Amino acid sequence: MNPLTIDIQRLQREINELALITEAEPPVVTRVLFSEADIRGREFVKSLCCEAGLALRADAVGNIFARWDGTNGSLATVATGSHIDAIPNAGKFDGVVGVLGAIEAIRALKKSSYQPRRAIELIIFTAEEPTRFGIGCIGSRLLSGVLSPERAATFRDRDGKSLDEWRQGAGYTGSLAAVRLPKDCYAAFVELHIEQGPILEQENTAIGIVEKIAAPSTLRMQLTGVGGHAGAVLMPGRRDAGLAGAEIALAVERTVIGTGSPDTVGTTGVFRIEPGAVNSVPSRALLEIDVRDTKLATRDAALAQIETAAAEICKRRHVTLQTDRLNADPPAICDGSLVKTVADVCRQLGVSHKKMISRAYHDTLFMAQVCPSTMIFIPCRDGVSHRPDEFSSSEQIEPGVRVLAQTLAQTTG
Ligand code: GLV
Ligand code: MN
Ligand code: MN
């Protein structure tokens, strides 16, 4: 294969251009699933895929596949990809580096006259972020069969609008049952992503190769108390759903710290009270609680403890509680031989690297159930992510794209 030329300036321009497609005022990036910005972002990425000579198709939930056919159609495809949806108040690199970086990797391979024997497919996954429906990785969950089409059809956003309504409105029709991948469809999956943690930067290492992804879970708690006039309802008689929620949020913190493991984390990232008037006792509260750990047993014990604490708090405060476990996933173990392939590529290219755990979740968590999978991490400034000041430099992105391109070549040649 001829040497690869990565056009990092062009990639950086494309990252900047996509960042301008946002529901918020730039530099804030907000692209919630199937919002107008998400749809325009998808169009932008699709146009780059077309220019790169890739064949496009999409499935019923809106996962987009951009394909470069191999010379041997009987061999399983190698896939790469990530997401372009972004949580409220996000930055421009989370997910995007793995999508636009993969397009640049493919362009570099094409420019070097490389001819893959296996097809290469870039997947732009639907809803890696949980913002609209409270659960993340909807596209990869359906692809892997972890999420049933029947359950997906029950998803409603906070305005009661269903996944079916949203996807059909965005032009993704057909049966969700058809999204699941056929067996042995992919020979491998590799996702390029920013680390979203500080280790690579602190250790001045160019590439992280992911061996394991921590186990995520989400609880949704709906609390119903009794509202009333903030002046007229005296304190002893109150059934304040907001205060019960506040106690639950503190119980989450107490529980995860109480495991004694630095790997247990818990976040009450959604906490809404109704009616939301200063002179009205909160009658309802909605909490969404994210709990993760690298060890499944510790995570599960923390979840159970939080549920018990919430039940006790609500009983004591005479507030009714409905708890739903939106997801409670096991950790993913990446494929040892694919991890070794990426490490060998790093050695060949003279790029510093280390094996690591991902504390964030990714579509790889579910692709790992379907085929040998791993991730290529690049450093980001101060480990910051899910914030507008998220940043990776061109010098940090370039080795990631190069290692991805070379890994694609190695696994498809
Ligand atoms: C993904 O965005 C995560 O929350 O880990
Ligand atoms: Mn994210
Ligand atoms: Mn991401």
Side-chain angles (χ1 to χ4, degrees):
M1 196 176 76
N2 296 320
L4 291 173
T5 315
I6 309 292
D7 189 341
I8 194 65
Q9 266 85 33
R10 171 169 57 176
L11 173 55
Q12 190 65 68
R13 274 198 307 275
E14 290 166 351
I15 292 171
N16 292 342
E17 205 173 328
L18 182 51
L20 295 176
I21 304 176
T22 166
E23 298 166 58
E25 192 61 36
V28 176
V29 180
T30 301
R31 263 194 311 268
V32 177
L33 173 70
F34 297 147
S35 61
E36 199 236 324
D38 182 40
I39 290 168
R40 280 200 294 133
R42 287 162 176 262
E43 290 308 316
F44 174 72
V45 172
K46 285 198 287 185
S47 72
L48 297 182
C49 291
C50 281
E51 278 164 34
L54 303 176
L56 286 167
R57 69 172 203 284
D59 65 18
V61 78
N63 291 311
I64 297 168
F65 304 80
R67 184 177 176 88
W68 179 10
D69 274 328
T71 53
N72 185 342
S74 65
L75 297 175
T77 301
V78 168
T80 182
S82 196
H83 62 101
I84 62 158
D85 65 322
I87 65 163
N89 203 42
K92 61 182 168 187
F93 298 94
D94 176 4
V96 167
V97 166
V99 172
L100 299 183
I103 297 175
E104 180 52 30
I106 290 171
R107 288 188 298 228
L109 286 167
K110 288 195 163 196
K111 206 152 80 200
S112 76
S113 306
Y114 174 69
Q115 288 280 324
R117 285 197 315 130
R118 293 178 188 276
I120 297 176
E121 244 172 41
L122 162 61
I123 310 176
I124 299 119
F125 293 96
T126 280
E128 192 269 352
E129 300 291 6
T131 313
R132 188 169 301 285
F133 294 108
I135 179 169
C137 299
I138 293 175
S140 51
R141 283 177 193 272
L142 282 166
L143 286 171
S144 63
V146 165
L147 170 65
S148 72
E150 293 76 24
R151 179 162 176 238
T154 68
F155 290 167
R156 297 271 182 286
D157 69 7
R158 65 166 125 142
D159 300 318
K161 188 164 165 179
S162 69
L163 173 59
D164 276 347
E165 288 171 271
W166 274 109
R167 71 184 176 95
Q168 283 157 8
Y172 301 106
T173 52
S175 160
L176 285 182
V179 172
R180 188 169 183 173
L181 291 170
K183 212 171 154 357
D184 302 328
C185 157
Y186 291 119
F189 176 76
V190 186
E191 178 172 3
L192 173 65
H193 206 282
I194 60 168
E195 182 199 340
Q196 305 181 287
I199 297 170
L200 293 174
E201 184 187 58
Q202 278 167 6
E203 299 185 1
N204 199 21
T205 301
I207 296 291
I209 309 170
V210 174
E211 290 187 299
K212 183 176 181 181
I213 302 176
S217 64
T218 316
L219 296 176
R220 176 180 282 160
M221 294 190 180
Q222 290 169 273
L223 281 60
T224 310
V226 176
H229 196 286
V233 182
L234 297 181
M235 300 311 286
R238 288 200 182 185
R239 295 167 62 185
D240 184 326
L243 290 180
E247 271 203 64
I248 292 172
L250 291 172
V252 170
E253 183 190 45
R254 204 168 43 248
T255 302
V256 297
I257 292 173
T259 68
S261 161
D263 293 322
T264 326
V265 284
T267 309
T268 305
V270 171
F271 189 162
R272 286 192 207 106
I273 51 174
E274 284 176 27
V278 69
N279 54 353
S280 181
V281 177
S283 56
R284 282 154 59 91
L286 170 75
L287 281 72
E288 286 176 2
I289 301 162
D290 178 306
V291 182
R292 312 184 191 202
D293 200 295
T294 52
K295 285 184 226 66
L296 187 59
T298 319
R299 199 278 319 272
D300 282 346
L303 270 185
Q305 217 176 310
I306 290 166
E307 285 168 341
T308 306
E312 181 279 313
I313 290 161
C314 289
K315 187 161 177 239
R316 178 164 40 79
R317 287 183 170 274
H318 305 288
V319 163
T320 59
L321 169 67
Q322 184 189 321
T323 300
D324 295 298
R325 283 193 182 193
L326 297 187
N327 66 295
D329 304 293
I333 308 298
C334 294
D335 182 72
S337 110
L338 195 57
V339 167
K340 181 174 175 311
T341 302
V342 180
D344 289 343
V345 163
C346 290
R347 271 188 285 276
Q348 284 158 25
L349 296 174
V351 171
S352 59
H353 60 282
K354 70 173 292 171
K355 295 179 185 160
M356 56 197 308
I357 290 178
S358 172
R359 294 178 185 279
Y361 61 70
H362 303 279
D363 294 300
T364 302
L365 188 67
F366 301 101
M367 292 304 284
Q369 304 214 7
V370 173
C371 64
S373 298
T374 189
M375 300 186 70
I376 298 169
F377 273 180
I378 58 162
C380 55
R381 188 174 60 200
D382 298 330
V384 163
S385 186
H386 284 183
R387 276 175 26 188
D389 55 338
E390 177 181 85
F391 179 75
S392 291
S393 67
S394 297
E395 293 71 32
Q396 288 170 321
I397 297 170
E398 201 268 356
V401 175
R402 189 174 290 280
V403 169
L404 174 63
Q406 194 69 38
T407 302
L408 292 175
Q410 209 101 325
T411 48
T412 58

